[in-house]
Amino acid sequence: MHILHIVGARPNFMKAAPVMRALGTWDGVRQTLVHTGQHYDANMSDVFFHDLEIPEPDVNLGVGSGSHAQQTAQILSQLEPVLLEYRPDLVLVYGDVNSTVAAALVCAKLLIPVGHVEAGLRSFDRTMPEEINRLVTDQLADLLFTPSADGDENLLREGVAADKIHFVGNVMIDSLVRLRTRSEKSIVLAELKLVPGTYGLVTLHRPSNVDNPETLAAIMAALYEVSRELPIIFPLHPRTRQRLEAANNHDPGSRVQMLDPLSYVDFLALQRLAKLVITDSGGIQEETTYLGVPCLTVRENTERPVTVSIGTNVLVGQDVKRLRTEVGRIMAGDQKRGRVPPLWDGHAAERIAHAIMARSWERRA
Ligand code: UD1
């Protein structure tokens, strides 16, 4: 059985690592790893391979940045010959980035079965590029691994056959569980002179928050104000750094500390010990829910509703007044207390491996 994994962007790496490890424990499984190169900076890619102990990719397509159409097209045309050469029995794609949908499309055209890890999530907001990627990938996939029961419901409603869907839990939490002990040894708090529970951690990178200068300015003004009460650590995604530099947006008098992107282990250490997290990331909504850390999400909707219904997540949208009110509540000790959603237990990847190996695989072309 030959399984080929496709990764491309930062949030893919922590999902693929546990699945590769779990499949590696089965006899007769050969694995190949293809990196599309969607993320290429050392601190957006290499450092995660190191922390998560992912083997070197067998192939790197080196597609880099571009418009969505350009990036997707590059992956389509460069991945096809690789798949024709390697001829895997199954391709696994992860999450909702452009690399995910592009790879699923190439597989569908070549009649290679494709499994989607983190299937079924929906924000119901088609202005979000990831929502298009999720919808298309799930329609093309032969095996769909969902992290939460809402995923199953969404897929069934969209007409996906029930026998393709496997509710396995959250693979990203597998990585968190595995690396938690290592994060306890991280010295990042000491390096940044931080005391546990006395700082806020912020990440923002969604085009809807950072591409419009007025929206970005309003959010930054709120963060500068919050920092008078609570120092803020803000690792910057390359897109966000570009936008802030272009707008010359900085407030040297504030206590917002901007950093380059951090490694997985250091970011986990900062997340675990933060008073609160402010983010627009998908994965961080889930990690904070697992860790029981209050999370304020600067988005109008989420494709991960269990983080709100069960977890510690509060959607504040782009309403900066609401953001400041919610920060005030947490500072006053009135934070939302959540629970860990079902099957977010560190064993999702084992369930995926089991579901794959329980099927019989026949080459279609
Ligand atoms: C992508 C995903 C998003 C995910 C995010 C995590 C899509 C549609 N979006 O968004 O879902 O949450 O990754 O980080 O796939 N850049 C660099 N170095 C890099 C990578 C990017 O400088 O290693 C800069 C480039 O200027 C690039 C921009 O960041 O144009 C955006 O990169 P891109 O991969 O297009 O999308 P992300 O915003 O990272």
Side-chain angles (χ1 to χ4, degrees):
M1 172 85 186
H2 180 193
I3 300 175
L4 186 145
H5 306 258
I6 310 239
V7 294
R10 184 167 61 175
N12 291 155
F13 307 138
M14 46 291 243
K15 295 167 193 165
V19 177
M20 292 188 77
R21 184 167 293 108
L23 282 165
T25 66
W26 287 73
D27 284 339
V29 174
R30 173 183 164 209
Q31 301 192 70
T32 300
L33 179 61
V34 175
H35 191 326
T36 64
Q38 177 175 346
H39 284 175
Y40 42 88
D41 286 354
N43 58 20
M44 294 293 284
S45 179
D46 302 2
V47 70
F48 290 85
F49 275 67
H50 176 263
D51 273 8
L52 296 157
E53 296 169 288
I54 306 174
E56 279 281 298
D58 298 279
V59 179
N60 190 323
L61 304 178
V63 299
S65 303
S67 71
H68 285 240
Q70 286 166 344
Q71 198 174 53
T72 309
Q74 286 277 344
I75 300 168
L76 291 178
S77 61
Q78 295 195 42
L79 185 58
E80 184 179 59
V82 173
L83 293 182
L84 287 170
E85 182 191 335
Y86 280 82
R87 294 182 57 77
D89 299 301
L90 172 72
V91 169
L92 288 180
V93 298
Y94 296 85
D96 56 15
V97 302
N98 287 342
S99 300
T100 311
V101 68
L105 191 51
V106 180
C107 292
K109 297 283 186 184
L110 294 177
L111 305 184
I112 298 171
V114 57
H116 183 203
V117 177
E118 199 187 81
L121 299 185
R122 297 289 180 270
S123 66
F124 303 100
D125 173 4
R126 291 199 184 193
T127 65
M128 189 182 182
E130 292 79 3
E131 183 73 353
I132 308 300
N133 296 345
R134 293 180 202 115
L135 283 161
V136 175
T137 304
D138 284 342
Q139 280 300 318
L140 299 174
D142 299 278
L143 272 177
L144 299 99
F145 301 108
T146 59
S148 45
D150 53 286
D152 295 49
E153 286 162 26
N154 292 332
L155 294 171
L156 290 170
R157 203 184 42 251
E158 289 168 15
V160 176
D163 64 348
K164 293 181 176 178
I165 305 170
H166 298 265
F167 173 29
V168 292
N170 192 325
V171 285
M172 224 184 44
I173 300 302
D174 292 10
S175 283
L176 190 162
V177 168
R178 190 177 136 78
L179 290 178
R180 189 180 176 134
T181 313
R182 207 178 321 150
S183 85
E184 287 164 8
K185 300 194 185 101
S186 161
I187 55 165
V188 69
L189 267 83
E191 282 174 346
L192 296 171
K193 301 190 175 45
L194 294 171
V195 176
T198 65
Y199 63 90
L201 179 64
V202 176
T203 80
L204 295 170
H205 73 285
R206 298 257 159 238
S208 55
N209 283 329
V210 306
D211 282 2
N212 178 318
E214 280 168 26
T215 307
L216 181 60
I219 296 172
M220 290 308 300
L223 294 179
Y224 293 137
E225 200 181 308
V226 166
S227 80
R228 287 199 218 131
E229 199 182 352
L230 183 72
I232 298 276
I233 301 300
F234 189 2
L236 294 179
H237 182 284
R239 170 198 289 280
T240 311
R241 182 176 286 285
Q242 284 163 15
R243 300 295 186 265
L244 287 171
E245 283 174 1
N248 198 17
N249 187 321
H250 62 106
D251 178 354
S254 81
R255 294 196 294 168
V256 175
Q257 198 175 335
M258 297 183 185
L259 310 173
D260 284 333
L262 293 166
S263 72
Y264 181 82
V265 167
D266 285 347
F267 190 79
L268 178 55
L270 283 174
Q271 235 186 134
R272 207 166 49 79
L273 298 170
K275 177 78 178 167
L276 57 88
V277 172
I278 299 172
T279 191
D280 59 10
S281 149
I284 294 169
Q285 296 172 51
E286 300 184 329
E287 290 169 344
T288 46
T289 274
Y290 183 83
L291 295 167
V293 173
C295 178
L296 303 177
T297 297
V298 188
R299 282 176 48 189
E300 306 295 334
N301 50 52
T302 179
E303 64 286 348
R304 298 161 210 265
V306 291
T307 61
V308 177
S309 59
I310 300 184
T312 56
N313 191 18
V314 175
L315 296 182
V316 297
Q318 288 178 337
D319 179 348
V320 291
K321 255 169 107 180
R322 171 97 199 272
L323 176 66
R324 290 201 301 264
T325 308
E326 293 295 338
V327 169
R329 283 179 67 170
I330 296 165
M331 295 304 287
D334 181 21
Q335 72 257 37
K336 192 171 169 198
R337 285 170 221 282
R339 285 173 292 119
V340 175
L343 299 192
W344 292 22
D345 59 358
H347 299 288
E350 290 158 36
R351 288 187 280 270
I352 290 176
H354 195 271
I356 291 172
M357 299 310 288
R359 288 170 85 103
S360 62
W361 294 94
E362 261 175 51
R363 202 179 284 283
R364 288 190 224 156

